[in-house]
Amino acid sequence: MKKFKSQRAKDHLFCLSIYAWPLLLWFTLSFLANYVYSFLLPFQEIDIYGNARFIFSFTNFKKYFSLMFTDGDLLFKSLKNSLIMYALNLVFTTLFNHLFAYLIFKKCFGYKMLVIVCFIPAAVSSMVFGLCFQKFVSTALPKMLMELKIVDYYLDMFYDSKWIFFILNFYMLWTGFTNAIIILPNAMSAISPELLEAGQIDGIKNMFQEMWYIVMPCIWGTSSAYIVTGVSTLFTSSGVSVLFYQFNAPEQAYNLGYYYTVLTVNASDETFYPVLAAGGVVMTLICAPLTFLTKRLCEKCKWSDN
């Protein structure tokens, strides 16, 4: 009996060692190598030969703040574009996602066409869809505009400084509507039909009132999750600039995530890494409390009480 228990204990220990090995690798390679080093890197100085030394000062933070608040600097433009992109995405995507989802949920006139239009970005590979979109905007659309005499020159919106920011945001908003036909209608379908009927008895007279007073409170948990996660990626998302421009985008296509990506990939040396790391710490200190504050505000919303 003791021999059996000993063998069983050895088997359990062997299984635990197998499970613990990936966790040990994650802790060593991911946590220690990335997170800890990321907080130490802002307090280092790297020369052109790659030699690093610790500096007990906030020099790198000062350099980052200097670039951030210098009007005309690429970092300043990237930060401004990130804030504008997030505001547009928050307002328009959130609004139309819920509106489209409700129309699909109620099976209103034309809802099948709406499903097709919104589902195309999700049904096709993102790279294939992006390349098709770029081909249409850069090749077919300029010819159509010239044939219709809307413009008298070859207008490639991806490289025209007046249109770059618009076309990128249009693409981001369109691809963001996919949630309207995948997540939100499923959340709405869980609403009890008896609850909708009770609302009509209590004075709900039209679809707008039904959506505002019944549907939104019932799915607010799902909706608030999207809002909170959107805030958490405010300074890290590179948008679609990498898809369309790789690492050679014009200034109008930059946001903060793309700015970091380009400088990290195209860096000729490591001398600027400590400044970027200092910026990462600053953005974390801004974004983390903002995310928790947004979560708290969503919980305080009157819909969460219903």
Side-chain angles (χ1 to χ4, degrees), residues 157-160 162-168 245 250 252-253:
M157 293 186 179
F158 277 107
Y159 291 96
D160 190 298
K162 297 179 181 178
W163 291 95
I164 291 174
F165 195 70
F166 166 79
I167 200 65
L168 292 180
Y245 301 103
Q252 293 82 359

Side-chain angles (χ1 to χ4, degrees), residues 125-137 158 171 243-244 246:
S125 167
S126 59
M127 180 173 290
V128 173
F129 183 75
L131 291 176
C132 292
F133 181 81
Q134 186 179 30
K135 194 72 173 177
F136 171 78
V137 173
F158 277 107
Y171 183 85
L243 174 63
F244 294 126
Q246 286 74 52

Side-chain angles (χ1 to χ4, degrees), residues 4 13 20 27 34 39 51 61 100 102 113 141 149 152 165 169 214 235 240 248 271-272:
F4 175 76
L13 183 62
F27 180 79
N34 291 332
F39 283 98
N51 301 317
F61 291 91
F100 292 163
Y102 182 71
M113 180 59 66
L141 184 60
K149 300 187 184 303
D152 56 356
F165 195 70
N169 280 280
I214 298 180
F235 300 121
V240 295
N248 299 297
T271 57
F272 198 62

